[in-house]
Amino acid sequence: MALFRQAWSLVTDPKSTKWTAPLQLLADAVLCGAVILKIPYTEIDWSTYMQQIELYLSGQRDYAKITGDTGPLVYPAAHVYIYRFLYYLTSNGTDIFAAQCIFAGLYLATLWIVMQCYRAANVPPYIFPLLSLSKRMHSIFVLRLFNDCWAVFFLFAAIWCWQRKLWTFGTLMYSVGLGVKMSLLLPLPAIGVVLWQGMGRDRAFYQAQSIGQVQTLIAYPFIWGGIWSYITRAFDFSRQFLYVWTVNWRFVSEATFLSKPFSYGMLILHVFLLHLLGVGRWLRPAGVSLGGAIEQLISPPSKDELRRIAARVTPDFTLTAILTSLIIGCLCARSLHYQFFVYIAWSVPFLLWRSGMSVVMIYAICFAQEWAWNVYPSTNASSAVVVGSLAVTVFSIWIGTSYYVNPPKEAQKVEAEHTKAE
């Protein structure tokens, strides 16, 4: 019986992740090595990245003139700097094996940070295997070498810092990630709410200002090459998506996919869901409505009240809010490509667990999601599962975090202890 209790604790006690997480990381390192050695590398964007870097190194700074086989440069400047460094490390981009090893290291580093974010939120060990069981994730990192891998690394590094109240370091990490790919705009609404409640209006404003300053700093060489060219390429909100590459909306007709009403409908749904979760859940530490939040932005509360609000911005709250905003953005995206799975695969398991869903349902949804993202090309069925799993995640987190509005007695007790400690 004692042995059974120990085994049960190893699976269910969040403290056990101190031992299980390193073992899982080690096993995943072996798996990454096997993938690199046994599965052929797939060329998609790496050669284009390298061609673009060669143009950059030749002195070209006009984004409109930096292009490659698969298209023009459409990512912010941090992407250029990272891949310029990789260009040197991989013999001008020709040493694919070296590149794969670097990305395997990046995968393991990101996985470790994700695990630490989960641990800070007291996630039990039985959820952690879902972080390593994705065929698509290993493919994106070590067989495709996409820049999304760097973006998601910096996103979770930022979350790790924010969970520990290292606000400025977190903002710096996020700013670099945003400088890799504009996909990191998706969690920005929740990030703003977290920073405001965790730091207060004035300090949060300086954090927002620093994000803009970092973007300006890294873009400086390209601004001289043509500021409008840089902005419209690196942060192109008017991009026309191709139906042939969509993973999430294959089950609608191409005419619908390309139509303006569909585009506006997704935008309206996105705003609605952000409002629903933002007002109904993310403002809970401040304990105010939208009107009250606006009032506090105009006239901040006392320092004592700010400290009480900040004490309620827990690691769990931070991770929940930011990942929810990210998944809402993915659900309402006009088109998701296969590399976007890096933002979903490590977010959905936590959110499903956080919603209070049973372990059987969590694994079922994650496995269904994994199946859908491995269907190539996407089909009506696979894309319906992609959208359905995201919709279920958003709906379940809305239902499961209802105590953010009316906290149960246990949560109120913990909060009272935090306030008393202040």
Side-chain angles (χ1 to χ4, degrees):
M1 184 61 70
L3 184 62
F4 174 79
R5 283 197 297 268
Q6 289 180 352
W8 183 253
S9 175
L10 194 64
V11 174
T12 60
D13 186 356
K15 294 180 181 179
S16 298
T17 56
K18 179 180 180 180
W19 313 106
T20 60
L23 293 175
Q24 180 177 331
L25 189 74
L26 180 61
D28 212 330
V30 174
L31 179 58
C32 286
V35 170
I36 292 173
L37 294 175
K38 298 295 183 180
I39 301 178
Y41 160 77
T42 305
E43 172 55 48
I44 297 181
D45 283 338
W46 173 262
S47 63
T48 294
Y49 293 162
M50 295 299 103
Q51 291 165 2
Q52 293 167 349
I53 295 305
E54 287 175 349
L55 288 173
Y56 168 77
L57 293 174
S58 70
Q60 183 58 257
R61 296 296 181 268
D62 185 347
Y63 251 54
K65 297 178 180 178
I66 302 178
T67 187
D69 288 340
T70 61
L73 177 58
V74 292
Y75 308 115
H79 159 87
V80 176
Y81 303 140
I82 289 173
Y83 279 85
R84 178 181 66 173
F85 186 57
L86 293 175
Y87 180 86
Y88 291 128
L89 292 179
T90 59
S91 302
N92 300 343
T94 61
D95 191 344
I96 300 299
F97 178 75
Q100 288 182 285
C101 291
I102 292 170
F103 273 79
L106 175 64
Y107 169 85
L108 294 170
T110 309
L111 176 60
W112 181 248
I113 293 172
V114 173
M115 287 178 170
Q116 300 314 304
C117 292
Y118 274 43
R119 292 189 66 222
N122 290 317
V123 179
Y126 63 79
I127 295 297
F128 280 61
L130 290 170
L131 304 179
S132 296
L133 292 177
S134 173
K135 173 185 175 183
R136 176 58 67 183
M137 285 292 282
H138 289 88
S139 173
I140 292 171
F141 271 87
V142 302
L143 297 179
R144 306 300 197 270
L145 315 180
F146 286 123
N147 62 350
D148 299 84
C149 305
W150 296 95
V152 78
F153 166 80
F154 285 111
L155 173 62
F156 276 100
I159 293 173
W160 183 92
C161 292
W162 288 326
Q163 284 181 314
R164 290 153 180 82
K165 311 292 185 180
L166 301 172
W167 303 113
T168 301
F169 285 111
T171 300
L172 178 61
M173 291 293 103
Y174 172 75
S175 300
V176 175
L178 181 60
V180 174
K181 198 161 187 180
M182 63 179 287
S183 305
L184 292 202
L185 288 172
L186 296 179
L188 187 57
I191 290 170
V193 174
V194 168
L195 293 179
W196 164 57
Q197 294 179 111
M199 305 179 69
R201 183 197 66 181
D202 295 342
R203 293 178 64 199
F205 173 77
Y206 289 125
Q207 296 293 310
Q209 192 177 46
S210 68
I211 293 174
Q213 290 171 340
V214 169
Q215 297 309 308
T216 302
L217 180 64
I218 64 176
Y220 186 77
F222 301 102
I223 290 175
W224 285 104
I227 183 171
W228 186 246
S229 175
Y230 176 79
I231 293 174
T232 56
R233 295 279 184 169
F235 297 95
D236 184 4
F237 293 97
S238 62
R239 188 180 307 164
Q240 184 65 52
F241 296 97
L242 298 177
Y243 183 71
V244 67
W245 295 118
T246 186
V247 177
N248 53 332
W249 295 116
R250 180 71 62 186
F251 62 90
V252 304
S253 68
E254 184 171 3
T256 299
F257 176 81
L258 297 174
S259 68
K260 290 293 184 181
F262 181 76
S263 175
Y264 293 144
M266 289 297 100
L267 179 60
I268 292 170
L269 178 62
H270 193 177
V271 172
F272 169 75
L273 290 175
L274 287 176
H275 177 270
L276 184 69
L277 273 295
V279 175
R281 300 295 184 265
W282 303 341
L283 291 179
R284 194 266 164 172
V288 295
S289 63
L290 179 60
I294 295 173
E295 184 178 337
Q296 286 194 4
L297 284 172
I298 297 172
S299 179
S302 66
K303 290 184 178 180
D304 287 341
E305 179 60 20
L306 286 175
R307 282 195 293 269
R308 282 191 287 269
I309 293 172
R312 299 169 193 148
V313 181
T314 62
D316 167 60
F317 173 82
T318 299
L319 187 59
T320 302
I322 293 175
L323 294 189
T324 300
S325 182
L326 178 62
I327 293 302
I328 288 174
C330 291
L331 172 63
C332 302
R334 276 287 309 281
S335 183
L336 294 176
H337 296 172
Y338 285 98
Q339 59 266 38
F340 275 73
F341 193 52
V342 298
Y343 308 107
I344 296 171
W346 286 333
S347 300
V348 168
F350 170 78
L351 293 177
L352 293 178
W353 168 80
R354 187 63 189 76
S355 73
M357 189 175 291
S358 71
V359 62
V360 174
M361 286 299 298
I362 292 172
Y363 271 77
I365 291 172
C366 288
F367 284 157
Q369 176 180 261
E370 174 68 18
W371 167 80
W373 281 89
N374 278 285
V375 174
Y376 178 81
S378 61
T379 63
N380 290 349
S382 68
S383 64
V385 171
V386 167
V387 174
S389 62
L390 292 172
V392 168
T393 301
V394 172
F395 178 75
S396 64
I397 202 66
W398 164 255
I399 298 298
T401 56
S402 59
Y403 80 80
Y404 279 172
V405 179
N406 298 302
K409 292 182 179 180
E410 186 62 29
Q412 290 176 335
K413 180 180 177 181
V414 172
E415 183 177 308
E417 291 174 353
H418 275 296
T419 304
K420 185 177 180 180
E422 289 284 330

